[in-house]
Amino acid sequence: MPKMTFIERDGTHREVDAPVGYSVLEIAHKHGVDIEGACEGSLACSTCHVVVDAAWCKKLAEPTEDEEDMLDLAFGLTQTSRLGCQIVMTDALDGLVVKLPAATRNAMG
């Protein structure tokens, strides 16, 4: 089974099992990682914002226009920011590393 690493807000590296077909948001929730996902992965918020390690960016599909629009609302946006609900695990992403941003902004509430 593929693995991925979350770098938590305090800098702790947490390697977890990452089942193929699950989104990064679903994987985070499965392992108790502190990502909100207020819209439950429906691409209607930016609370599952993660910063993808630069070495992995080129291995991901390009973000859709809808994802880019939601990312514009994210706190602490970076060049490698993505929404965790839009990154779906594959065998090619075994070893993926994402960092949780310092904070999130929930425009839904």
Side-chain angles (χ1 to χ4, degrees):
M1 171 177 302
K3 302 245 184 233
M4 69 169 292
T5 299
F6 290 95
I7 302 174
E8 303 208 41
R9 289 179 182 85
D10 66 1
T12 302
H13 286 61
R14 193 155 153 205
E15 184 179 77
V16 299
D17 289 334
V20 170
Y22 280 56
S23 71
V24 167
L25 174 63
E26 292 168 319
I27 294 164
H29 286 171
K30 176 180 168 77
H31 294 288
V33 175
D34 186 24
I35 294 179
E36 183 176 355
C39 75
E40 298 179 0
S42 66
L43 198 53
C45 73
S46 64
T47 61
C48 66
H49 169 217
V50 294
V51 178
V52 177
D53 184 278
W56 288 95
C57 285
K58 291 180 180 170
K59 295 181 182 184
L60 300 178
E62 290 292 318
T64 64
E65 187 174 329
D66 288 340
E67 181 180 359
E68 288 178 344
D69 288 346
M70 285 296 108
L71 280 168
D72 287 341
L73 305 174
F75 179 84
L77 193 64
T78 72
Q79 291 283 16
T80 64
S81 288
R82 293 295 300 267
L83 296 181
C85 68
Q86 298 301 296
I87 302 171
V88 176
M89 202 62 193
T90 65
D91 285 324
L93 294 178
D94 185 17
L96 175 68
V97 177
V98 300
K99 182 177 181 180
L100 304 184
T104 61
R105 180 178 297 141
N106 184 350
M108 290 183 65

